[in-house]
Amino acid sequence: MGFGSIIAAMISVATILMASYVCSKGGFYMTDVLAGSVIEMQENKNEMVKTEIEIKGVSTDRVDILVSLQNTGSTKIGDFTYMDVIVTYQNESGNMKTVWVPYQESEILSRNRWTKANIVPDLINPGVFDPGEKMEVHIRLDSSDPIGNSSVNWLMITVPNGAKASRYFSG
């Protein structure tokens, strides 16, 4: 009878040790995943701090908007498909419209699309928006719902890592 209680105690101790091992292994794994996420978040935040764009000028003919954009940061921007352009404008009937305008590669624009018209000077990395360069952004809205003659129009351009620039413009 005494030997059975020793075996039961050894099984209990082994079960407790196994459970604590599994729990500590899971805890270490969770801590490692969390630390990796924090490091990745900090790297993204660092890149966002180094990225800065500035809207130098906006002109429109009520359907097409031409935006002069300058890269004033220290990060190059190359993947334009992940850039967001949002335009809020007052149409001819006085209603406010907000349009998300996706990127289009070709120079012949469809409605509610944007493209890069040119980058100046584009000597170092052709086709990439490098620090110090200016880029012309051509935005085409829907011609059936053009911008009215108003000064309550606004646009925002956001680069892939989250840095953004916005500006009011007249119609």
Side-chain angles (χ1 to χ4, degrees):
M1 196 126 115
F3 193 65
S5 63
I6 292 175
I7 291 176
M10 287 176 44
I11 291 174
S12 297
V13 169
T15 304
I16 291 171
L17 287 175
M18 183 62 91
S20 65
Y21 172 76
V22 168
C23 288
S24 65
K25 200 67 161 153
F28 291 142
Y29 174 75
M30 295 285 282
T31 303
D32 188 43
V33 168
L34 182 62
S37 297
V38 168
I39 289 170
E40 186 177 334
M41 183 179 71
Q42 191 61 37
E43 287 172 355
N44 288 343
K45 197 69 169 167
N46 266 350
E47 190 167 320
M48 190 174 163
V49 166
K50 291 189 260 178
T51 306
E52 199 171 323
I53 57 172
E54 186 177 333
I55 297 174
K56 293 295 189 177
V58 179
S59 62
T60 183
D61 66 358
R62 298 176 30 168
V63 174
D64 291 337
I65 304 170
L66 194 59
V67 181
S68 177
L69 193 66
Q70 183 164 10
N71 186 343
T72 55
S74 60
T75 305
K76 56 185 164 185
I77 302 163
D79 200 354
F80 302 112
T81 56
Y82 294 108
M83 286 178 65
D84 286 324
V85 174
I86 298 172
V87 179
T88 299
Y89 66 95
Q90 188 173 24
N91 64 9
E92 290 178 330
S93 59
N95 297 326
M96 293 301 291
K97 296 278 194 167
T98 299
V99 181
W100 170 67
V101 186
Y103 179 71
Q104 179 179 325
E105 186 67 37
S106 68
E107 292 184 21
I108 300 172
L109 281 175
S110 304
R111 65 185 179 102
N112 292 332
R113 297 280 189 254
W114 75 273
T115 191
K116 60 179 171 56
N118 61 358
I119 299 174
V120 178
D122 200 13
L123 302 174
I124 303 300
N125 296 312
V128 176
F129 190 29
D130 291 310
E133 293 180 340
K134 288 186 180 180
M135 179 170 71
E136 295 291 324
V137 173
H138 185 191
I139 304 166
R140 174 156 296 152
L141 299 177
D142 188 354
S143 61
S144 66
D145 195 16
I147 297 173
N149 195 4
S150 170
S151 62
V152 261
N153 306 311
W154 178 80
L155 68 89
M156 180 175 67
I157 298 175
T158 306
V159 297
N161 67 9
K164 63 184 179 277
S166 63
R167 183 168 180 163
Y168 286 97
F169 65 98
S170 297

